[in-house]
Amino acid sequence: MTKKYILLFFVLFSFGLSAQTYNMSNASVNTCTGTFLDSGGTGNYSNSQNFTKTFCPSTPGSIIRFVFTQFNLENNADFLYVYDGNSTTAPLLQTYTGTDLPLTLQPTAANTSGCLTFVFTSDSATNTSGWSANISCVTPCQTIIASLASSTPAAGADGIIKICAGQSITFNGGATFSTSGAGATYTWNFDDGSTAVGQSVIHTFPIAGVYRVNVVVRDPLQCVNSNYINQVVQVADPPSVSIYSDSDEQCINTPLNLQAIVSTQTYDYNCAPPVSGTTYLPDGDGVSYETSVVVDCFDSTTTLTNINQIQSICLNMEHSFIGDLRIEIISPSGQVSELKAYPGGGGTYLGDANDDGSTTPGVGFNYCFAMTGTVILQNGPTTTASDGNATIQAGTYLPSGGFTPLLGSPLNGVWTIRVTDEQAIDNGYIFNWQINFAPSLTPTSLSFTPAITSVTWVADPTITGTSGTTVTVESPTSGAVCYSVLVTNSFGCAATTSKCIDFLDAPAINLTPDDLESCTNVFNLNDEISEILGTLNPSDYDVLFFASEADALAGSPQIPSPTNFIATGTVTTIYVKVEDFTLSCPAYVSFDAVIIDCSPPDPTASVTANTICSGTTGTVTFTGTPNAVVTYTVDSGSNQTITLDAAGQYVLTTPILTVNSTYTLVSVFDGTTTAPLTASATVTVTALPTASISG
């Protein structure tokens, strides 16, 4: 008995607290609470009706809001029109018919009255249960436009921030507020699964790729910015670099090329909208449940222009009575498309549902909606669930309302799945869902490939040359030498690597031997061995001769007859390989075989003379090729001859002279060759002094 009295009191108390209801009529209402019903109240509305009703907020500075919980009009015969103002002269906001549940309705920012006007018309035939909507008032949101005030590092001329993996960026947020920015909060989404709160934040990007950073600016009334800043961040890894050489060992005094092998990576921008979390679908009777994802990776002006640009909308879900459900997709602009119509499907399951009345989840199946589907979901093929009940097979199905109602919608924004449970009993889950757009909509300009800007080898005295990314190394001494190269890309990301070369000993030969000379083109190359080996014992070494450096390095072919080598030019370079099999490396050197002129020189002669006093004899000295016969003249007279002695000299005493006398050479003959001469020498006669005496 006590339980009955308590129940009665509760019922009466609840009735006393219930909000006022407003049926559709021509009477205007000022309120901020209550329920808006069709003209039939809890019953059906009547035929041939035409009512206009205006709702305005009773709280100054607020706006009216309607959240529909039920909607059922005769499709395309009875209509509910909504005007964005306090009369039908205001802009038409929405038109509703059929059973699609309207969105939450409230005045737009352009509507300064805060009121909404409803017009209902019904035809003269069928009538149905109408609608029910909860009334409330909210403070209208101010306009908030978010921006990136600055960043460190700053964006480049292309508006993109470019960093290396593991580098941090400082983001400084900004915003313009139509009313006030006091108390505003800034929540950042870095597009890598992490967020941060604060007007100025620092974030590290550990993984290379392309990211769109956004910020939500929220005022104390929970109003948020209407735009996406979509700040693009490109994050690059250091370039890949390795060092290639033909060998890790090399003989001393022998060149070896080291090549830096450098590669860079291309990073493709993948605009994959996020996947939602789990949403419980309780047992309801005309109640709607929503789950949303935020799409923000497309260009802000991109809209849906073709129904095939939505490749699929996929839900992983289970429910124990498909016939209860209406499933809709709502675009960021509020456009609605029906994925699964109500009614339809009866008691068939979705997924491997748990139908024991508890809230224990069953197992979800993947149901995709796409224009490539051939049947609608409720007509899909079935399989058997764990409890023996029929369930719709996973697959791709045709959306019952198509995607045409979504044309013109922006891609960026909040996309919402709305599931309305139209009947009591049965529940289910949406474990996750996602919307997939055509790859052609993805901004390709955001993909990038960092360029290699520098390849720098660390200086080392054994580096003898550089060509592009290749260096030539050669060491005069044995031992390990390590070489390092630093590679940098256009993002400033650097990578370095090293490689060590073990230089091996070779015979310590003379690396600058003298040339081998011959009066003919025939040479005995073995005559150069002592010059090459120096103090080394010839019996301990093999000295091999080659016509080219390549042949010497290859060890073949050798010059076949080194003791009788025939030169084809005046100077022929001979390449030598010296082997000592107790050492790992041979030694290499080269010398020139030079043909010289061995013909005897032409005979020569010269003449000199002295100065004498008048009336004395002079001295004329002939010098030149020993034993040669010299022909000469005296004062241009007839030819005379003298023969040089074994020392190449002849001294001639002149007659007594009183004037100068010139001896001119005509020729010289050595017994084989006569050489003409032109030199001369003059015996200079100096006059004697004179004296006189007078009395």
Side-chain angles (χ1 to χ4, degrees):
M1 181 66 69
T2 302
K3 293 180 180 179
K4 293 181 180 179
Y5 283 122
I6 293 174
L7 177 61
L8 177 61
F9 174 77
F10 178 79
V11 170
L12 292 174
F13 182 73
S14 299
F15 181 79
L17 291 180
S18 63
Q20 186 172 353
T21 59
Y22 301 93
N23 291 358
M24 187 65 192
S25 66
N26 289 321
S28 297
V29 176
N30 290 338
T31 185
C32 278
T33 61
T35 304
F36 177 34
L37 303 174
D38 60 273
S39 59
T42 57
N44 287 6
Y45 58 83
S46 301
N47 296 330
S48 302
Q49 291 189 326
N50 190 335
F51 293 117
T52 300
K53 191 177 192 70
T54 298
F55 286 88
C56 290
S58 57
T59 301
S62 64
I63 59 175
I64 199 81
R65 173 185 281 178
F66 296 85
V67 178
F68 283 79
T69 58
Q70 180 183 346
F71 195 87
N72 185 7
L73 301 183
E74 183 185 2
N75 192 40
N76 293 324
D78 302 339
F79 297 92
L80 179 65
Y81 303 92
V82 186
Y83 293 87
D84 189 26
N86 55 12
S87 71
T88 56
T89 60
L92 180 64
L93 192 63
Q94 294 287 349
T95 300
Y96 297 104
T97 187
T99 57
D100 283 340
L101 195 68
L103 299 172
T104 297
L105 291 176
Q106 66 184 50
T108 65
N111 181 354
T112 58
S113 70
C115 305
L116 290 178
T117 297
F118 295 85
V119 174
F120 173 65
T121 62
S122 61
D123 67 1
S124 59
T126 305
N127 55 58
T128 60
S129 57
W131 68 83
S132 176
N134 296 325
I135 305 171
S136 62
C137 291
V138 295
T139 301
C141 282
Q142 64 174 318
T143 300
I144 304 174
I145 304 298
S147 63
L148 180 65
S150 64
S151 68
T152 305
D158 56 3
I160 297 174
I161 302 174
K162 300 176 180 180
I163 61 169
C164 302
Q167 187 176 344
S168 298
I169 302 175
T170 299
F171 296 95
N172 299 308
T176 57
F177 302 85
S178 61
T179 302
S180 171
T185 62
Y186 293 73
T187 302
W188 297 83
N189 186 323
F190 301 108
D191 199 21
D192 62 357
S194 59
T195 60
V197 177
Q199 188 168 359
S200 180
V201 296
I202 299 175
H203 183 68
T204 301
F205 292 86
I207 301 175
V210 184
Y211 302 91
R212 279 185 184 260
V213 176
N214 276 290
V215 62
V216 175
V217 182
R218 191 184 308 273
D219 69 11
L221 295 178
Q222 302 305 304
C223 300
V224 299
N225 51 296
S226 58
N227 68 311
Y228 295 91
I229 65 170
N230 277 337
Q231 176 58 55
V232 176
V233 177
Q234 293 178 340
V235 183
D237 283 321
S240 174
V241 57
S242 61
I243 299 176
Y244 171 79
S245 62
D246 289 338
S247 174
D248 294 340
E249 294 181 336
Q250 185 70 349
C251 299
I252 62 171
N253 301 310
T254 305
L256 176 68
N257 287 335
L258 304 182
Q259 182 182 7
I261 306 298
V262 181
S263 63
T264 189
Q265 183 176 347
T266 295
Y267 300 90
D268 293 321
Y269 178 60
N270 180 20
C271 187
V275 178
S276 76
T278 298
T279 302
Y280 176 49
L281 306 174
D283 170 32
D285 187 0
V287 180
S288 296
Y289 309 98
E290 294 183 351
T291 169
S292 301
V293 295
V294 176
V295 176
D296 60 6
C297 58
F298 296 98
D299 289 336
S300 58
T301 58
T302 303
T303 60
L304 193 71
T305 59
N306 186 300
I307 58 175
N308 293 312
Q309 290 174 335
I310 297 181
Q311 290 190 326
S312 63
I313 300 172
C314 297
L315 295 78
N316 183 275
M317 67 177 299
E318 60 92 354
H319 196 276
S320 56
F321 202 96
I322 186 177
D324 284 1
L325 304 180
R326 181 197 316 278
I327 305 175
E328 298 165 300
I329 180 71
I330 306 170
S331 78
S333 56
Q335 295 161 252
V336 181
S337 174
E338 192 172 59
L339 303 179
K340 188 270 173 187
Y342 171 82
T348 305
Y349 289 175
L350 291 175
D352 195 356
N354 182 13
D355 193 23
D356 61 2
S358 72
T359 59
T360 302
V363 177
F365 287 3
N366 288 322
Y367 298 105
C368 292
F369 298 91
M371 299 311 298
T372 57
T374 56
V375 296
I376 58 176
L377 181 64
Q378 54 265 45
N379 293 339
T382 62
T383 186
T384 303
S386 298
D387 63 2
N389 198 75
T391 184
I392 302 293
Q393 292 182 11
T396 298
Y397 296 94
L398 190 67
S400 59
F403 290 150
T404 300
L406 303 174
L407 291 176
S409 171
L411 269 59
N412 285 343
V414 179
W415 289 81
T416 300
I417 289 289
R418 180 169 62 198
V419 179
T420 304
D421 190 337
E422 300 285 3
Q423 297 183 20
I425 313 177
D426 296 293
N427 61 24
Y429 285 86
I430 296 178
F431 297 104
N432 60 72
W433 75 275
Q434 63 184 29
I435 183 169
N436 301 300
F437 296 99
S440 59
L441 297 172
T442 301
T444 56
S445 60
L446 300 184
S447 299
F448 68 99
T449 303
I452 301 300
T453 55
S454 68
V455 178
T456 305
W457 289 87
V458 177
D460 188 275
T462 60
I463 295 177
T464 60
T466 301
S467 176
T469 61
T470 299
V471 292
T472 301
V473 299
E474 185 174 347
S475 176
T477 59
S478 62
V481 180
C482 296
Y483 302 92
S484 298
V485 65
L486 176 68
V487 180
T488 305
N489 64 21
S490 54
F491 280 56
C493 311
T496 185
T497 190
S498 299
K499 185 170 187 176
C500 297
I501 302 299
D502 191 11
F503 288 97
L504 307 177
D505 274 324
I509 63 174
N510 178 12
L511 297 178
T512 57
D514 290 337
D515 294 337
L516 182 63
E517 296 178 343
S518 174
C519 297
T520 69
N521 65 342
V522 179
F523 291 83
N524 183 354
L525 301 182
N526 288 340
D527 291 342
E528 190 75 2
I529 291 178
S530 60
E531 176 70 18
I532 294 171
L533 294 182
T535 60
L536 300 180
N537 187 350
S539 63
D540 294 334
Y541 299 90
D542 285 337
V543 181
L544 310 175
F545 301 97
F546 301 87
S548 71
E549 182 179 19
D551 290 348
L553 294 174
S556 178
Q558 298 181 39
I559 292 177
S561 300
T563 59
N564 190 35
F565 174 72
I566 307 300
T568 58
T570 303
V571 178
T572 303
T573 301
I574 305 298
Y575 297 88
V576 183
K577 178 179 182 181
V578 180
E579 293 181 333
D580 176 354
F581 293 106
T582 65
L583 298 176
S584 301
C585 291
Y588 297 92
V589 73
S590 65
F591 66 90
D592 288 335
V594 181
I595 300 174
I596 61 174
D597 185 0
C598 296
S599 301
D602 288 342
T604 63
S606 63
V607 63
T608 60
N610 63 350
T611 299
I612 63 172
C613 293
S614 178
T616 63
T617 62
T619 300
V620 178
T621 303
F622 296 87
T623 58
T625 302
N627 304 313
V629 176
V630 178
T631 301
Y632 67 95
T633 64
V634 179
D635 296 329
S636 301
S638 59
N639 288 346
Q640 302 181 50
T641 62
I642 57 94
T643 300
L644 301 178
D645 61 17
Q649 191 175 61
Y650 184 91
V651 178
L652 181 147
T653 301
T654 68
I656 295 173
L657 299 176
T658 58
V659 295
N660 293 347
S661 181
T662 300
Y663 288 73
T664 302
L665 300 180
V666 176
S667 64
V668 60
F669 175 68
D670 63 357
T672 302
T673 303
T674 298
L677 301 172
T678 59
S680 65
T682 299
V683 178
T684 303
V685 177
T686 302
L688 294 174
T690 62
S692 64
I693 187 170
S694 61

